[in-house]
Amino acid sequence: GDRIVDIATRAGLLTCGLAQLARHHTYLQLPVLAEGLNEQSPNTCALATVLGIEALAQIDPPEAIQHARVFMAELERVQAHCGWLVLQASACADEALVNEARHARERLAQLFVDVCGRRRPTGIHLPGRILIDRDPAESALTEVTNHLTCLIRTARQSLAGRGGWRRRLTGVGVVGAEEVVERMLSGPMARASGVAIDVRRHTPYLTYNQLDFDLAVRTGGDVVDRCEVRLDEMAQSLLLAQRALASSQGP
């Protein structure tokens, strides 16, 4: 019933709407609400919400569940990066790479159907639980890993390996390390500017402290470096998903 008369935008306040909604919903309803915060990574938003609920309610899930959460989170990260790759390849008018990236997203969507019954991994996180089927995951992951490995190799050749692409985008959209800190940027934006920080490594949650992986870091902070960081991250996420699934034994 309020009338909005003026708006001032401020970075970093995306979750304010969720905080207001949370007052009128139960803990079991909040993860689904959180999924609406990010179209590309709904599973990850729900996961963050569930981790907060478990901390408040002092719920300690079995280690197998934590590994399974890493498995789903890393595969969703790869799927989101495939969406980015579609846009990047479209900007370069590389139709072959666009089609291959779209096909990779479809392969991941089929994997999600196999393990949780949905093309997008939504509604799978509950306090102390994750609603996925582990049995078909291993064979599905092996198939999709082979396809995605080829996609990453093709993307490196089509983008980073192309002289014209590098000449056009080297030095474009530079973000310095100081600006990363000032604006509280994170993820590939930060790591492409030489700020080697990743919460999975520096503030571990789930079972990331048990899984070995490399941080993808560059120093130029331009479009080229951000693209290379994202491609490196896709490979590392596949590796993390494999290791998490292999460790996900028990109840």
Side-chain angles (χ1 to χ4, degrees):
D2 294 338
R3 181 183 178 189
I4 299 172
V5 296
D6 193 19
I7 294 175
T9 59
R10 290 181 61 190
L13 298 179
L14 175 67
T15 59
C16 280
L18 179 65
Q20 296 297 322
L21 288 171
R23 301 177 182 182
H24 310 290
H25 293 80
T26 67
Y27 280 163
L28 290 178
Q29 293 171 328
L30 292 185
V32 178
L33 280 174
E35 288 170 352
L37 291 175
N38 190 325
E39 187 182 65
Q40 293 294 333
S41 304
N43 165 77
T44 305
C45 292
L47 172 59
T49 305
V50 164
L51 291 177
I53 294 169
E54 289 175 349
L56 288 169
Q58 298 182 340
I59 297 171
D60 187 16
E63 193 171 271
I65 289 177
Q66 305 287 40
H67 280 303
R69 288 172 171 175
V70 171
F71 171 76
M72 295 300 293
E74 292 303 319
L75 288 180
E76 188 182 61
R77 182 191 299 264
V78 176
Q79 190 181 53
H81 279 24
C82 285
W84 156 79
L85 187 54
V86 168
L87 297 176
Q88 185 64 40
S90 297
C92 300
D94 191 335
E95 289 300 320
L97 183 57
V98 168
N99 291 332
E100 193 163 346
R102 283 176 174 161
H103 190 42
R105 292 195 76 190
E106 282 298 309
R107 289 289 186 95
L108 283 164
Q110 185 56 52
L111 182 148
F112 293 145
V113 169
D114 291 340
V115 300
C116 70
R118 302 173 179 87
R119 287 176 56 83
R120 301 298 300 274
T122 56
I124 64 173
H125 290 297
L126 292 172
R129 300 179 65 190
I130 181 169
L131 306 178
I132 66 171
D133 185 0
R134 188 165 51 193
D135 293 337
E138 188 170 350
S139 59
L141 179 61
T142 299
E143 181 181 351
V144 80
T145 297
N146 294 333
H147 184 80
L148 284 164
T149 301
C150 293
L151 170 66
I152 295 168
R153 184 169 56 248
T154 301
R156 291 190 194 282
Q157 295 169 350
S158 298
L159 298 178
R162 185 182 297 174
W165 181 83
R166 280 188 168 276
R167 285 193 297 273
R168 184 160 62 88
L169 295 176
T170 297
V172 173
V174 175
V175 177
E178 292 182 358
E179 189 174 0
V180 166
V181 176
E182 179 184 348
R183 296 183 177 273
M184 296 181 290
L185 302 180
S186 61
M189 288 288 295
R191 291 188 284 275
S193 300
V195 181
I197 187 168
D198 189 320
V199 293
R200 296 172 298 176
R201 175 73 56 80
H202 295 87
T203 313
Y205 57 100
L206 299 178
T207 54
Y208 280 110
N209 58 342
Q210 302 176 29
L211 303 171
D212 185 33
F213 64 99
D214 297 327
L215 289 187
V217 180
R218 296 292 189 277
T219 58
D222 58 6
V223 172
V224 172
D225 280 359
R226 286 193 286 273
C227 287
E228 291 182 344
V229 164
R230 284 187 168 92
L231 292 176
D232 289 345
E233 282 192 349
M234 290 172 72
Q236 289 300 312
S237 288
L238 285 173
L239 185 63
L240 275 167
Q242 291 170 334
R243 291 175 174 171
L245 183 62
S247 303
S248 179
Q249 305 301 323

